[in-house]
Amino acid sequence: MRSPVPTVPTKLVDVEVASAPRANVPRVVLAATGPELGPGAANVDLTEVTGKAGETMRQGDSWVLGIGKSELKDWKIAGAALVRGLTGQAAPKTADVFLTDIDADRLQAFVLGAALGGYRFRVTGDDADPQVRSLRLVVADEGLEDVLTEAALKAHALATATALARDLANTPSNVKDPKWLAGTAAKIAEKVPGLTAVVRDEKWLAEEGFGGVLAVGGGSTRPPRFLELSWNASLKNAPHIVFVGKGITFDTGGISVKPADGMHLMRTDMSGGGAVISALVAVARRGLGVRVTGLVPCAENHVSGSAYRPGDVVRHFGGATTEVTNTDAEGRMVLADALAYAVRRLSPDLLVDVATLTGAMKVSLGLRTGGLFSNTDSVADSVVEAGTRAGEQWWRMPLLEEHVEAVDSEIADYRQCPPGPGGITAALFLEKFAGGVPWAHLDIAGPARSEKNYDEVVPGATGFGARTLVELVESYASRA
Ligand code: BES
Ligand code: ZN
Ligand code: MN
């Protein structure tokens, strides 16, 4: 039987940097809003060209590509538009792109856009539309080849992380159960030197007291797993960063069941876990000099006679208890166990969790910006800066003092779903499990999915968060 998911991660366009063009290869020349053209533009007619970022116009065997005002975002849009423009029946396999006035940051943005803009996830028996396979970026200045090649490699590594996060999240939940998610991550990790993976089963979870993961996973016939990825575990003196990602492989809401409309989208409810897995793979491939651990509690939140109930009291790893008030708030239940495990077993210097946690955050910030909460100003700043470098936008939200009490329960240590602003009270609940460690919580319920094409994003899972995590590790590595 054919596998219902692509067996190979989606192939992204290859990119090289060189100072010499090739003979008999289609050429792409740039137009800024101006318009000014780059070299190689000799026989291009500019009458209808506006230079707007992402404008692609075919002229014989050449293309004109708009780069707008030449800002970073314009370059990302142009890269994505070029690859989309070079898809279809008459698509060339390769092209030479003549870059003018380029620096490392702009080139990185362009390559990121080009690599991700052509991403597609389709489960089908048909062949995909022919698409450009490789690009040569022709730079006028030979002296810049090395720096620009370095920038292209980094952009490609970041794009690869995003693409893997998309693949994992787009995989339908008839295939993707907790065992599949943890096992697939472990299989990928095994191929990366120095990256190790351990997958724990429900028996281990019961022995160790992961009551949150077991409660949420208890309603499904497909039992929960706990994935632990380690990079540089032996570097005992290096700073230790621990990432925790929500790995709900499908969220029905459980007994507090979700409405049918839109429930199918909950196959991407492990997007935080996917971002963590992809980030660990990218960090290891880039050989960054810090210690990083990725934890992904994997469970399916389902409805059945063995499902957990509103009113239950659950004991988390480490002993704290939670009064369940809504089984659809399952993300914080599994994250609480994983955060407590990180604090007690891994002595992290920095703890970051990533999750499609609340619909409230989607309402607050929309679909293109992640919500960021932190108990440490410098950590919040580092996340925002890492996001800016990676092309992912974050907005800091407050851990409001006046709502802290709402997390207390009459019959347990904590109340799972306090009244009040949903994104904030969820963060306040998680803070109880972060043990005072410098910590950030990233709520990606909004930007984890897209309905349309924009910038480097295509409809479906976006892979949001993976690149920010990699950049965050890079910033600690360069400080260490
Ligand atoms: N996975 C959802 C959050 C979500 C909603 C992600 C929409 C992406 C798009 C989460 O598990 C959930 O159901 N949260 C509830 C919490 C509530 C019961 C306190 C919500 O936001 O409605
Ligand atoms: Zn959920
Ligand atoms: Mn839910």
Side-chain angles (χ1 to χ4, degrees):
M1 196 180 96
R2 252 169 70 220
S3 164
V5 281
T7 46
V8 191
T10 311
K11 180 89 184 78
L12 306 180
V13 68
D14 284 323
V15 178
E16 60 171 354
V17 177
S19 54
R22 293 167 293 179
N24 304 320
V25 164
R27 296 186 163 199
V28 179
V29 297
L30 305 180
T33 33
E36 295 158 30
L37 285 194
N43 39 29
V44 169
D45 169 16
L46 283 184
T47 356
E48 300 203 342
V49 173
T50 70
K52 187 172 172 286
E55 179 183 62
T56 30
M57 218 176 266
R58 183 169 184 174
Q59 298 199 359
D61 212 13
S62 295
W63 272 265
V64 183
L65 175 65
I67 51 156
K69 297 189 184 116
S70 191
E71 283 163 12
L72 287 185
K73 195 163 189 220
D74 294 328
W75 283 93
K76 189 163 83 169
I77 291 169
L82 176 62
V83 172
R84 287 176 194 143
L86 297 183
T87 297
Q89 284 318 309
K93 283 205 161 49
T94 187
D96 278 3
V97 186
F98 288 79
L99 299 179
T100 39
D101 278 340
I102 192 97
D103 57 20
D105 287 347
R106 290 188 170 98
L107 185 122
Q108 195 179 317
F110 183 76
V111 173
L112 191 80
L116 288 173
Y119 175 93
R120 287 285 172 286
F121 185 93
R122 273 197 85 206
V123 183
T124 169
D126 300 339
D127 293 335
D129 266 355
Q131 204 185 36
V132 66
R133 295 290 185 76
S134 67
L135 295 172
R136 173 176 287 194
L137 309 183
V138 182
V139 295
D141 185 345
E142 234 173 280
L144 283 177
E145 251 179 81
D146 286 354
V147 227
L148 295 180
T149 298
E150 185 52 40
L153 285 173
K154 176 158 184 201
H156 219 267
L158 289 171
T160 302
T162 300
L164 173 59
R166 288 180 185 177
D167 284 340
L168 294 172
N170 280 326
T171 298
S173 298
N174 52 332
V175 174
K176 176 176 60 191
D177 63 10
K179 184 176 163 194
W180 183 93
L181 180 59
T184 300
K187 224 187 275 171
I188 294 168
E190 264 165 30
K191 294 191 190 128
V192 185
L195 186 61
T196 57
V198 181
V199 178
R200 270 79 173 238
D201 64 9
E202 68 274 28
K203 226 182 107 219
W204 182 89
L205 289 165
E207 281 160 16
E208 295 284 340
F210 281 66
V213 180
L214 290 167
V216 171
S220 173
T221 53
R222 304 145 104 193
R225 292 287 181 270
F226 188 70
L227 169 70
E228 181 164 351
L229 296 171
S230 320
W231 166 245
N232 275 341
S234 60
L235 286 187
K236 297 293 179 208
N237 292 322
H240 187 190
I241 301 175
V242 178
F243 293 142
V244 176
K246 171 174 171 181
I248 299 300
T249 59
F250 193 73
D251 182 10
T252 66
I255 297 295
S256 317
V257 67
K258 285 184 182 297
D261 272 357
M263 193 196 277
H264 62 286
L265 303 176
M266 287 300 129
R267 67 171 173 266
T268 57
D269 208 20
M270 37 50 69
S271 293
V276 167
I277 293 164
S278 315
L280 262 285
V281 171
V283 162
R285 286 207 184 119
R286 287 183 68 69
L288 301 181
V290 279
R291 183 175 169 206
V292 189
T293 302
L295 303 175
V296 184
C298 307
E300 183 173 57
N301 189 23
H302 224 311
V303 195
S304 78
S306 59
Y308 79 135
R309 292 153 291 258
D312 285 0
V313 174
V314 166
R315 189 180 296 279
H316 295 283
F317 182 88
T321 55
T322 293
E323 176 193 359
V324 175
T325 48
N326 186 323
T327 62
D328 197 10
E330 81 297 339
R332 66 196 76 181
M333 297 300 289
V334 303
L335 293 174
D337 282 353
L339 289 170
Y341 174 83
V343 170
R344 281 158 187 268
R345 292 279 170 85
L346 301 173
S347 346
D349 297 294
L350 171 65
L351 187 53
V352 181
D353 73 75
V354 196
T356 47
L357 204 64
T358 66
M361 195 54 51
K362 210 172 149 177
V363 175
S364 307
L365 298 176
L367 303 184
R368 300 191 187 188
T369 303
L372 152 67
F373 297 83
S374 181
N375 58 3
T376 308
D377 291 346
S378 61
V379 169
D381 293 346
S382 302
V383 171
V384 171
E385 284 159 24
T388 303
R389 284 194 302 280
E392 294 175 339
Q393 186 163 267
W394 300 95
W395 189 261
R396 188 171 181 188
M397 300 288 294
L399 291 160
L400 295 173
E401 187 56 43
E402 66 265 34
H403 291 284
V404 172
E405 267 180 21
V407 185
D408 294 338
S409 160
E410 297 282 326
I411 63 164
D413 294 320
Y414 306 120
R415 176 159 52 165
Q416 180 203 26
C417 298
I424 294 173
T425 52
L428 289 170
F429 175 87
L430 293 179
E431 189 181 14
K432 301 284 187 189
F433 295 88
V437 169
W439 158 78
H441 157 57
L442 310 180
D443 191 336
I444 58 168
R449 296 190 55 86
S450 173
E451 296 294 315
K452 43 184 166 192
N453 277 317
Y454 64 88
D455 301 357
E456 82 286 11
V457 172
V458 300
T462 60
F464 192 92
R467 298 201 301 275
T468 297
L469 297 183
V470 179
E471 281 286 358
L472 190 61
V473 175
E474 295 233 3
S475 72
Y476 277 75
S478 64
R479 266 181 267 164

